[in-house]
Coordinates of all heavy atoms in Angstrom, one line a residue:
M28 N -19.1 -15.7 21.9 CA -18.1 -14.6 21.7 C -18.8 -13.4 21.2 O -19.7 -13.5 20.4 CB -17.1 -15.2 20.7 CG -16.0 -14.1 20.5 SD -14.7 -14.7 19.3 CE -14.5 -16.4 19.7
P29 N -18.4 -12.2 21.6 CA -19.0 -11.0 21.1 C -18.8 -10.9 19.6 O -17.9 -11.5 19.1 CB -18.2 -9.9 21.8 CG -17.6 -10.5 23.0 CD -17.4 -12.0 22.7
D30 N -19.8 -10.3 19.0 CA -19.7 -10.2 17.5 C -18.6 -9.2 17.1 O -17.9 -8.6 17.9 CB -21.0 -9.7 16.9 CG -21.4 -8.3 17.3 OD1 -20.6 -7.5 17.6 OD2 -22.7 -8.1 17.4
S31 N -18.3 -9.2 15.8 CA -17.2 -8.5 15.3 C -17.3 -7.0 15.4 O -16.3 -6.2 15.4 CB -16.9 -8.8 13.8 OG -18.1 -8.4 13.0
S32 N -18.6 -6.5 15.7 CA -18.7 -5.0 15.9 C -18.0 -4.6 17.1 O -17.6 -3.4 17.2 CB -20.2 -4.7 15.9 OG -20.8 -5.3 17.0
F33 N -17.9 -5.5 18.1 CA -17.1 -5.2 19.3 C -15.7 -4.8 19.0 O -15.2 -3.7 19.4 CB -17.1 -6.4 20.2 CG -16.3 -6.3 21.5 CD1 -16.7 -5.6 22.6 CD2 -15.0 -6.8 21.5 CE1 -15.9 -5.4 23.7 CE2 -14.2 -6.7 22.6 CZ -14.7 -6.0 23.7
L34 N -15.0 -5.6 18.1 CA -13.6 -5.3 17.8 C -13.6 -4.1 16.8 O -12.6 -3.3 16.9 CB -13.0 -6.5 17.1 CG -12.8 -7.7 18.0 CD1 -12.2 -8.9 17.3 CD2 -11.9 -7.4 19.2
T35 N -14.6 -3.9 16.0 CA -14.6 -2.7 15.2 C -14.7 -1.4 16.0 O -13.9 -0.5 15.7 CB -15.9 -2.7 14.2 OG1 -15.8 -3.9 13.5 CG2 -16.0 -1.6 13.4
V36 N -15.5 -1.4 17.0 CA -15.6 -0.2 17.9 C -14.2 0.0 18.6 O -13.7 1.1 18.6 CB -16.7 -0.5 19.0 CG1 -16.6 0.6 20.1 CG2 -18.1 -0.4 18.4
L37 N -13.6 -1.0 19.1 CA -12.4 -0.9 19.7 C -11.3 -0.4 18.8 O -10.4 0.4 19.1 CB -11.9 -2.2 20.4 CG -12.6 -2.5 21.7 CD1 -12.1 -3.9 22.2 CD2 -12.5 -1.5 22.7
G38 N -11.3 -1.0 17.6 CA -10.3 -0.6 16.6 C -10.4 0.9 16.2 O -9.4 1.4 15.7
R39 N -11.5 1.5 16.4 CA -11.7 2.9 16.1 C -11.4 3.8 17.3 O -11.6 5.0 17.2 CB -13.1 3.2 15.6 CG -13.3 2.6 14.2 CD -14.7 2.9 13.7 NE -15.0 2.2 12.5 CZ -16.1 1.8 12.1 NH1 -17.2 2.0 12.8 NH2 -16.3 1.2 10.9
A40 N -11.0 3.2 18.4 CA -10.7 4.0 19.6 C -9.6 5.0 19.4 O -8.7 4.8 18.7 CB -10.3 3.1 20.7
P41 N -9.8 6.2 20.0 CA -8.7 7.2 19.8 C -7.5 6.8 20.5 O -7.6 6.2 21.6 CB -9.4 8.5 20.5 CG -10.4 7.9 21.4 CD -10.9 6.6 20.8
W42 N -6.3 7.1 20.0 CA -5.1 6.7 20.6 C -4.4 7.8 21.3 O -3.4 8.4 20.9 CB -4.2 6.0 19.5 CG -4.6 4.6 19.3 CD1 -5.4 4.2 18.3 CD2 -4.3 3.5 20.1 NE1 -5.7 2.8 18.5 CE2 -5.0 2.4 19.6 CE3 -3.5 3.3 21.3 CZ2 -4.9 1.2 20.1 CZ3 -3.4 2.1 21.8 CH2 -4.1 1.0 21.2
A43 N -5.0 8.2 22.4 CA -4.4 9.1 23.3 C -3.1 8.5 23.9 O -3.0 7.3 24.0 CB -5.4 9.5 24.4
P44 N -2.2 9.4 24.3 CA -0.9 8.8 24.8 C -1.1 7.8 26.0 O -0.5 6.8 26.0 CB -0.2 10.0 25.3 CG -0.7 11.1 24.4 CD -2.1 10.8 24.2
G45 N -2.1 8.1 26.9 CA -2.3 7.2 27.9 C -2.8 5.8 27.5 O -2.4 4.8 28.1
L46 N -3.7 5.8 26.5 CA -4.2 4.6 26.0 C -3.1 3.8 25.3 O -3.1 2.6 25.4 CB -5.4 4.8 25.1 CG -6.1 3.6 24.5 CD1 -6.5 2.6 25.6 CD2 -7.2 4.0 23.6
A47 N -2.3 4.5 24.5 CA -1.2 3.8 23.9 C -0.3 3.1 24.9 O 0.2 2.0 24.7 CB -0.4 4.8 23.0
A48 N 0.0 3.8 26.0 CA 0.9 3.3 27.0 C 0.2 2.1 27.7 O 0.9 1.0 27.9 CB 1.2 4.3 28.1
A49 N -1.1 2.2 28.0 CA -1.8 1.1 28.6 C -1.8 -0.1 27.6 O -1.6 -1.3 28.1 CB -3.2 1.5 28.9
A50 N -2.0 0.1 26.3 CA -2.0 -1.0 25.4 C -0.7 -1.7 25.3 O -0.6 -2.9 25.2 CB -2.5 -0.5 24.0
D51 N 0.4 -0.9 25.4 CA 1.7 -1.5 25.4 C 1.9 -2.4 26.6 O 2.5 -3.4 26.5 CB 2.8 -0.4 25.4 CG 2.9 0.3 24.0 OD1 2.3 -0.2 23.0 OD2 3.5 1.4 24.0
Q52 N 1.4 -1.9 27.7 CA 1.6 -2.7 29.0 C 0.8 -4.0 28.8 O 1.2 -5.1 29.2 CB 1.2 -1.9 30.2 CG 2.1 -0.8 30.5 CD 1.7 0.1 31.7 OE1 0.5 0.1 32.0 NE2 2.6 0.8 32.2
H53 N -0.4 -3.9 28.3 CA -1.3 -5.1 28.2 C -0.6 -6.1 27.2 O -0.6 -7.3 27.4 CB -2.7 -4.7 27.6 CG -3.6 -4.2 28.7 ND1 -4.1 -5.1 29.7 CD2 -4.0 -3.0 29.0 CE1 -4.9 -4.3 30.5 NE2 -4.8 -3.1 30.1
A54 N -0.1 -5.5 26.1 CA 0.6 -6.4 25.1 C 1.8 -7.1 25.7 O 1.9 -8.3 25.4 CB 1.0 -5.5 23.9
A55 N 2.6 -6.4 26.5 CA 3.7 -7.1 27.1 C 3.2 -8.2 28.1 O 3.8 -9.2 28.1 CB 4.5 -6.0 27.9
A56 N 2.2 -7.9 28.8 CA 1.7 -8.9 29.8 C 1.2 -10.1 29.1 O 1.4 -11.2 29.5 CB 0.6 -8.3 30.6
V57 N 0.5 -9.9 28.0 CA -0.1 -11.1 27.2 C 1.1 -11.9 26.6 O 1.1 -13.1 26.7 CB -1.1 -10.6 26.2 CG1 -1.4 -11.7 25.2 CG2 -2.3 -10.0 26.8
R58 N 2.1 -11.2 26.1 CA 3.2 -11.9 25.5 C 3.9 -12.8 26.6 O 4.3 -13.9 26.4 CB 4.2 -11.0 24.9 CG 3.8 -10.5 23.5 CD 4.9 -9.7 22.8 NE 5.4 -8.5 23.6 CZ 5.0 -7.3 23.3 NH1 4.1 -7.0 22.4 NH2 5.5 -6.3 24.1
D59 N 4.0 -12.2 27.8 CA 4.6 -12.9 29.0 C 3.8 -14.1 29.4 O 4.3 -15.1 29.7 CB 4.8 -12.0 30.2 CG 5.9 -10.9 30.0 OD1 6.7 -11.0 29.0 OD2 5.9 -10.0 30.8
I60 N 2.4 -13.9 29.4 CA 1.6 -15.0 29.8 C 1.7 -16.2 28.8 O 1.8 -17.3 29.2 CB 0.1 -14.5 29.8 CG1 -0.1 -13.6 31.0 CG2 -0.9 -15.7 29.9 CD1 -1.4 -12.8 31.0
I61 N 1.7 -15.9 27.5 CA 1.8 -16.9 26.5 C 3.2 -17.6 26.6 O 3.3 -18.8 26.6 CB 1.5 -16.4 25.1 CG1 0.1 -15.9 25.0 CG2 1.9 -17.4 24.0 CD1 -0.3 -15.2 23.7
S62 N 4.2 -16.8 26.7 CA 5.6 -17.4 26.8 C 5.7 -18.3 28.0 O 6.3 -19.3 28.0 CB 6.6 -16.3 26.8 OG 6.7 -15.6 25.6
A63 N 5.2 -17.8 29.2 CA 5.3 -18.6 30.4 C 4.6 -19.9 30.3 O 4.9 -20.9 31.0 CB 4.7 -17.8 31.6
S64 N 3.6 -20.0 29.4 CA 2.9 -21.3 29.2 C 3.7 -22.2 28.4 O 3.3 -23.4 28.1 CB 1.5 -21.0 28.6 OG 1.6 -20.7 27.3
G65 N 4.8 -21.8 27.8 CA 5.7 -22.6 27.0 C 5.3 -22.6 25.6 O 5.9 -23.4 24.8
L66 N 4.5 -21.7 25.2 CA 4.1 -21.6 23.8 C 4.8 -20.4 23.1 O 5.1 -19.4 23.8 CB 2.5 -21.4 23.6 CG 1.7 -22.6 24.2 CD1 0.2 -22.1 24.2 CD2 1.9 -23.8 23.3
P67 N 5.0 -20.5 21.8 CA 5.5 -19.3 21.1 C 4.4 -18.3 21.0 O 3.3 -18.6 20.9 CB 5.9 -19.9 19.7 CG 5.0 -21.0 19.5 CD 4.7 -21.6 20.9
V68 N 4.9 -17.0 20.9 CA 3.9 -15.9 20.7 C 3.7 -15.8 19.2 O 4.6 -15.3 18.5 CB 4.4 -14.6 21.3 CG1 3.5 -13.5 21.0 CG2 4.6 -14.8 22.8
T69 N 2.6 -16.3 18.7 CA 2.3 -16.3 17.2 C 0.9 -15.7 17.1 O 0.2 -15.5 18.1 CB 2.4 -17.7 16.6 OG1 1.3 -18.4 17.2 CG2 3.7 -18.3 16.8
R70 N 0.6 -15.4 15.9 CA -0.8 -15.0 15.6 C -1.8 -16.0 16.1 O -2.8 -15.6 16.7 CB -1.0 -14.7 14.1 CG -0.3 -13.5 13.6 CD -0.5 -13.2 12.2 NE -1.8 -12.5 12.1 CZ -2.3 -12.0 11.0 NH1 -1.6 -12.1 9.9 NH2 -3.5 -11.4 11.0
A71 N -1.5 -17.3 16.0 CA -2.4 -18.3 16.4 C -2.6 -18.3 17.9 O -3.7 -18.4 18.4 CB -2.0 -19.7 15.9
T72 N -1.5 -18.2 18.6 CA -1.6 -18.3 20.1 C -2.2 -17.0 20.6 O -2.9 -17.0 21.6 CB -0.2 -18.6 20.8 OG1 0.7 -17.6 20.4 CG2 0.3 -19.9 20.5
L73 N -1.9 -15.9 20.0 CA -2.6 -14.6 20.4 C -4.1 -14.7 20.2 O -4.9 -14.3 21.0 CB -2.0 -13.5 19.6 CG -0.6 -13.0 20.0 CD1 0.0 -12.1 18.9 CD2 -0.6 -12.3 21.4
Q74 N -4.5 -15.3 19.0 CA -5.9 -15.5 18.7 C -6.6 -16.4 19.7 O -7.7 -16.1 20.2 CB -6.2 -16.0 17.3 CG -7.6 -16.0 16.9 CD -8.2 -14.6 16.9 OE1 -7.7 -13.7 16.2 NE2 -9.3 -14.3 17.6
D75 N -5.9 -17.5 20.1 CA -6.4 -18.4 21.1 C -6.6 -17.7 22.4 O -7.6 -17.8 23.1 CB -5.5 -19.6 21.3 CG -5.5 -20.6 20.1 OD1 -6.5 -20.5 19.3 OD2 -4.7 -21.4 20.1
Y76 N -5.6 -16.9 22.8 CA -5.7 -16.1 24.1 C -6.9 -15.1 24.0 O -7.7 -15.1 24.9 CB -4.4 -15.3 24.3 CG -4.6 -14.4 25.5 CD1 -4.2 -14.9 26.8 CD2 -5.1 -13.1 25.4 CE1 -4.3 -14.0 27.9 CE2 -5.2 -12.3 26.5 CZ -4.8 -12.8 27.8 OH -5.0 -12.0 28.9
L77 N -7.0 -14.4 22.9 CA -8.1 -13.5 22.7 C -9.5 -14.2 22.8 O -10.4 -13.7 23.4 CB -8.0 -12.7 21.4 CG -9.0 -11.6 21.2 CD1 -9.0 -10.6 22.3 CD2 -8.7 -10.9 19.8
D78 N -9.6 -15.3 22.1 CA -10.9 -16.0 22.1 C -11.3 -16.4 23.5 O -12.4 -16.3 23.9 CB -10.8 -17.3 21.2 CG -10.7 -16.9 19.7 OD1 -11.0 -15.8 19.3 OD2 -10.3 -17.8 18.9
G79 N -10.3 -16.9 24.3 CA -10.6 -17.3 25.6 C -10.9 -16.2 26.5 O -11.8 -16.3 27.4
F80 N -10.2 -15.1 26.3 CA -10.5 -13.9 27.1 C -11.9 -13.3 26.8 O -12.7 -13.0 27.7 CB -9.4 -12.8 26.8 CG -9.5 -11.6 27.7 CD1 -8.9 -11.7 29.0 CD2 -9.9 -10.4 27.3 CE1 -8.9 -10.6 29.9 CE2 -10.0 -9.3 28.2 CZ -9.5 -9.4 29.4
L81 N -12.2 -13.3 25.6 CA -13.6 -12.8 25.2 C -14.7 -13.7 25.7 O -15.7 -13.3 26.2 CB -13.7 -12.7 23.7 CG -12.9 -11.5 23.1 CD1 -12.9 -11.6 21.5 CD2 -13.4 -10.2 23.6
E82 N -14.4 -15.1 25.7 CA -15.4 -16.0 26.2 C -15.6 -15.8 27.7 O -16.7 -15.8 28.2 CB -15.0 -17.4 25.9 CG -15.2 -17.8 24.5 CD -14.7 -19.2 24.1 OE1 -14.7 -20.1 25.1 OE2 -14.4 -19.5 23.0
A83 N -14.5 -15.6 28.4 CA -14.6 -15.3 29.9 C -15.3 -14.0 30.1 O -16.2 -14.0 31.1 CB -13.2 -15.3 30.5
L84 N -15.1 -13.0 29.3 CA -15.9 -11.8 29.5 C -17.3 -12.0 29.3 O -18.2 -11.5 30.0 CB -15.3 -10.7 28.6 CG -14.0 -10.1 28.9 CD1 -13.6 -9.0 27.8 CD2 -14.0 -9.4 30.2
E85 N -17.7 -12.7 28.3 CA -19.1 -13.0 28.0 C -19.8 -13.8 29.1 O -20.9 -13.5 29.5 CB -19.2 -13.8 26.7 CG -20.6 -13.9 26.2 CD -20.7 -14.5 24.8 OE1 -19.8 -15.3 24.4 OE2 -21.6 -14.1 24.0
E86 N -19.0 -14.7 29.7 CA -19.6 -15.5 30.8 C -19.9 -14.6 32.0 O -20.8 -14.9 32.8 CB -18.6 -16.6 31.2 CG -18.6 -17.7 30.1 CD -17.5 -18.8 30.4 OE1 -16.9 -18.8 31.5 OE2 -17.3 -19.6 29.5
T87 N -19.1 -13.6 32.2 CA -19.3 -12.7 33.4 C -20.3 -11.6 33.1 O -20.7 -10.9 34.0 CB -18.0 -12.0 33.8 OG1 -17.6 -11.1 32.8 CG2 -16.9 -13.0 34.1
G88 N -20.8 -11.6 31.8 CA -21.8 -10.6 31.5 C -21.2 -9.2 31.2 O -21.9 -8.2 31.1
W89 N -19.9 -9.1 31.1 CA -19.2 -7.8 30.8 C -19.7 -7.3 29.4 O -19.9 -8.0 28.5 CB -17.7 -8.0 30.8 CG -17.0 -6.8 30.5 CD1 -16.5 -5.8 31.3 CD2 -16.5 -6.3 29.2 NE1 -15.9 -4.8 30.7 CE2 -15.9 -5.1 29.3 CE3 -16.6 -6.8 27.9 CZ2 -15.3 -4.4 28.3 CZ3 -16.1 -6.1 26.8 CH2 -15.5 -4.9 27.0
R90 N -19.9 -6.0 29.4 CA -20.2 -5.3 28.1 C -19.4 -4.1 27.9 O -19.0 -3.4 28.9 CB -21.7 -4.9 28.2 CG -22.7 -6.0 28.3 CD -22.8 -6.7 26.9 NE -23.7 -7.9 27.0 CZ -23.3 -9.1 27.0 NH1 -22.1 -9.5 26.8 NH2 -24.2 -10.1 27.0
L91 N -19.1 -3.8 26.7 CA -18.3 -2.6 26.4 C -19.1 -1.4 26.7 O -20.3 -1.2 26.3 CB -18.0 -2.6 24.9 CG -17.2 -1.4 24.4 CD1 -15.8 -1.3 25.0 CD2 -17.0 -1.5 22.8
G92 N -18.6 -0.5 27.5 CA -19.2 0.7 27.9 C -18.7 1.9 27.2 O -18.0 1.8 26.1
S93 N -19.0 3.1 27.7 CA -18.5 4.3 27.0 C -17.1 4.6 27.2 O -16.4 5.4 26.5 CB -19.4 5.5 27.4 OG -19.2 5.7 28.8
R94 N -16.5 3.9 28.2 CA -15.0 4.1 28.5 C -14.3 2.8 28.2 O -14.9 1.7 28.4 CB -14.8 4.5 30.0 CG -15.5 5.8 30.3 CD -15.2 6.2 31.7 NE -13.8 6.4 31.8 CZ -13.1 6.3 33.0 NH1 -13.7 6.0 34.1 NH2 -11.8 6.6 33.0
L95 N -13.1 2.9 27.8 CA -12.2 1.8 27.6 C -11.6 1.3 28.9 O -10.6 1.8 29.3 CB -11.2 2.1 26.5 CG -11.7 2.4 25.1 CD1 -10.5 2.7 24.2 CD2 -12.5 1.2 24.6
D96 N -12.3 0.4 29.6 CA -11.8 -0.1 30.8 C -10.7 -1.1 30.6 O -10.3 -1.3 29.5 CB -13.0 -0.7 31.6 CG -13.6 -2.0 31.0 OD1 -13.0 -2.4 30.0 OD2 -14.6 -2.5 31.6
W97 N -10.2 -1.7 31.7 CA -9.1 -2.6 31.7 C -9.3 -3.7 30.7 O -8.5 -4.1 29.9 CB -8.9 -3.2 33.1 CG -7.7 -4.1 33.2 CD1 -6.5 -3.7 33.6 CD2 -7.7 -5.5 32.9 NE1 -5.6 -4.9 33.6 CE2 -6.4 -6.0 33.2 CE3 -8.6 -6.5 32.6 CZ2 -6.0 -7.3 33.1 CZ3 -8.2 -7.8 32.4 CH2 -6.9 -8.2 32.7
H98 N -10.5 -4.3 30.7 CA -10.9 -5.4 29.8 C -10.8 -5.0 28.3 O -10.3 -5.7 27.5 CB -12.2 -6.0 30.1 CG -12.4 -6.4 31.6 ND1 -12.9 -5.6 32.5 CD2 -12.0 -7.6 32.2 CE1 -12.8 -6.2 33.7 NE2 -12.3 -7.4 33.5
A99 N -11.4 -3.9 28.0 CA -11.4 -3.4 26.6 C -10.0 -3.0 26.2 O -9.6 -3.3 25.0 CB -12.3 -2.1 26.5
Q100 N -9.2 -2.5 27.1 CA -7.8 -2.2 26.7 C -7.0 -3.5 26.4 O -6.2 -3.5 25.5 CB -7.1 -1.4 27.9 CG -7.6 0.0 28.1 CD -7.0 0.6 29.3 OE1 -6.1 0.1 29.9 NE2 -7.7 1.7 29.8
R101 N -7.3 -4.5 27.2 CA -6.6 -5.8 26.9 C -7.0 -6.3 25.6 O -6.2 -6.8 24.8 CB -7.0 -6.8 28.1 CG -6.4 -8.2 27.9 CD -4.9 -8.4 28.0 NE -4.3 -7.8 29.2 CZ -3.7 -8.5 30.2 NH1 -3.7 -9.8 30.1 NH2 -3.1 -7.9 31.2
V102 N -8.3 -6.3 25.3 CA -8.8 -6.8 24.0 C -8.1 -6.0 22.8 O -7.7 -6.6 21.9 CB -10.3 -6.8 23.9 CG1 -10.8 -7.1 22.5 CG2 -10.9 -7.7 24.9
L103 N -8.1 -4.7 23.0 CA -7.6 -3.9 22.0 C -6.1 -4.2 21.8 O -5.6 -4.3 20.6 CB -7.8 -2.4 22.3 CG -7.3 -1.4 21.3 CD1 -7.9 -1.5 20.0 CD2 -7.6 0.0 21.9
A104 N -5.4 -4.3 22.8 CA -3.9 -4.6 22.7 C -3.6 -5.9 22.0 O -2.8 -6.0 21.2 CB -3.3 -4.6 24.1
V105 N -4.4 -6.9 22.4 CA -4.2 -8.2 21.8 C -4.6 -8.2 20.3 O -3.8 -8.7 19.4 CB -4.9 -9.4 22.5 CG1 -4.8 -10.7 21.8 CG2 -4.5 -9.4 23.9
Q106 N -5.6 -7.5 20.0 CA -6.0 -7.4 18.6 C -5.0 -6.7 17.7 O -4.7 -7.0 16.6 CB -7.4 -6.7 18.4 CG -7.9 -6.8 17.0 CD -8.2 -8.2 16.5 OE1 -8.9 -8.9 17.2 NE2 -7.6 -8.5 15.4
R107 N -4.4 -5.7 18.3 CA -3.3 -4.9 17.6 C -2.1 -5.8 17.4 O -1.5 -5.7 16.4 CB -3.0 -3.6 18.4 CG -4.1 -2.6 18.3 CD -3.8 -1.4 19.1 NE -2.7 -0.6 18.6 CZ -2.7 0.2 17.5 NH1 -3.8 0.4 16.9 NH2 -1.6 0.8 17.2
L108 N -1.8 -6.7 18.4 CA -0.7 -7.6 18.2 C -1.0 -8.6 17.1 O -0.1 -8.9 16.2 CB -0.4 -8.4 19.5 CG 0.3 -7.7 20.7 CD1 0.2 -8.6 21.9 CD2 1.7 -7.3 20.3
I109 N -2.2 -9.1 17.1 CA -2.6 -10.0 16.0 C -2.5 -9.4 14.6 O -2.0 -10.0 13.6 CB -4.0 -10.6 16.3 CG1 -4.0 -11.4 17.5 CG2 -4.6 -11.3 15.0 CD1 -5.4 -11.8 18.0
D110 N -2.9 -8.1 14.6 CA -2.8 -7.4 13.3 C -1.5 -6.9 12.9 O -1.2 -6.3 11.9 CB -3.8 -6.1 13.4 CG -5.2 -6.5 13.5 OD1 -5.6 -7.7 13.2 OD2 -6.0 -5.6 13.9
G111 N -0.5 -7.1 13.8 CA 0.9 -6.7 13.5 C 1.2 -5.2 13.7 O 2.1 -4.7 13.1
R112 N 0.3 -4.6 14.5 CA 0.5 -3.1 14.7 C 1.2 -2.9 16.0 O 1.3 -3.6 16.9 CB -0.8 -2.4 14.7 CG -1.5 -2.5 13.4 CD -2.7 -1.6 13.3 NE -3.9 -2.4 13.7 CZ -5.0 -2.0 14.0 NH1 -5.2 -0.7 14.2 NH2 -6.0 -2.7 14.3

C-alpha cells in the first residue's frame, strides 16, 4: 500500500469547484458500491474499500502525478468520507 505521504498530498489538494463536484460523484459511487454488496457504509467498510483500491493501484504500477486523475480523485473522496468531511 502506498505510504501515508500519498494521502497527505491528496489531503492538501486545492478544492476547486470541479474537484469538489468530482469528489462528490466518487463518494456517491463508493457508497453505492458498498451498499450494493450488502454491507453498511461505515468507516470500517470505507477503509476496507480504500485499502483494496490502493492495493489494486499499486499492483498496476499507478503513481500519483502532478494532476489529480480519476484514481486520485477516488482516493481523495473516500478518505474524506472516512474523515467525516
Side-chain angles (χ1 to χ4, degrees):
M28 180 180 321
D30 63 31
S31 62
S32 64
F33 173 80
L34 294 177
T35 300
V36 169
L37 286 180
R39 292 182 184 152
W42 279 95
L46 180 56
D51 287 345
Q52 291 175 343
H53 282 287
V57 169
R58 285 190 299 263
D59 289 348
I60 290 167
I61 293 172
S62 293
S64 72
L66 297 171
V68 178
T69 64
R70 289 180 83 172
T72 56
L73 288 165
Q74 188 64 57
D75 287 345
Y76 175 90
L77 182 58
D78 291 344
F80 190 76
L81 289 171
E82 286 178 25
L84 288 179
E85 188 170 34
E86 288 173 8
T87 65
W89 178 88
R90 296 288 178 246
L91 179 62
S93 61
R94 298 186 62 206
L95 294 179
D96 66 4
W97 183 93
H98 303 94
Q100 291 172 15
R101 176 67 55 114
V102 171
L103 182 58
V105 176
Q106 187 62 53
R107 290 177 62 83
L108 285 172
I109 291 168
D110 292 345
R112 294 187 267 164

